[in-house]
Amino acid sequence: MDNNFMAVAEVEAIAPGRFIKVEAGGVRCLIAQVEGRFYAVEDNCSHEDYPLSYGCLDGDRIKCSLHGSRFRLSDGAPLDAPADTPIRTFRVRVAEGQVWIDPTQAAD
């Protein structure tokens, strides 16, 4: 694993269909588990400076509770107005019972 990955949570701490808030390398992130896959996205709506952690998961999307915009967890793409700019996503790896993210590089 390259040097930029940081362990941020135990796998067991993130139930399927749920997310947790973490901070890695000074970046506020959400780590979500959907259908056995883990995703990491920034905890900030691109439409308005508002935490996405106040929202909820909608399948493989996160919904902002302020204006209802949803973002795809895999690539951060906005799916609903008023948001029209993607949110940042981060590379995720699971190893040794831990979820690791690289807060310096976008997901593939």
Side-chain angles (χ1 to χ4, degrees):
M1 197 167 313
D2 68 53
N3 293 335
N4 293 325
F5 277 88
M6 308 169 105
V8 293
E10 293 183 10
V11 169
E12 299 164 354
I14 310 168
R18 309 287 289 179
F19 65 82
I20 63 169
K21 297 187 301 182
V22 300
E23 188 169 321
V27 178
R28 294 179 304 137
C29 303
L30 301 178
I31 310 299
Q33 184 188 162
V34 178
E35 297 181 4
R37 184 165 179 195
F38 290 87
Y39 300 91
V41 299
E42 69 178 313
D43 184 14
N44 196 53
C45 180
S46 63
H47 167 253
E48 187 107 8
D49 189 21
Y50 192 77
L52 289 172
S53 56
Y54 293 161
C56 62
L57 287 183
D58 178 16
D60 64 350
R61 301 164 298 275
I62 183 114
K63 182 178 180 181
C64 179
S65 65
L66 188 60
H67 292 116
S69 293
R70 293 175 305 146
F71 300 88
R72 203 168 30 227
L73 293 171
S74 61
D75 61 7
L79 302 172
D80 305 292
D84 59 5
T85 303
I87 58 172
R88 291 187 301 163
T89 61
F90 305 99
R91 295 189 304 160
V92 178
R93 293 193 180 149
V94 176
E96 303 167 6
Q98 298 281 317
V99 178
W100 301 70
I101 69 168
D102 177 353
T104 68
Q105 192 167 5
D108 298 330

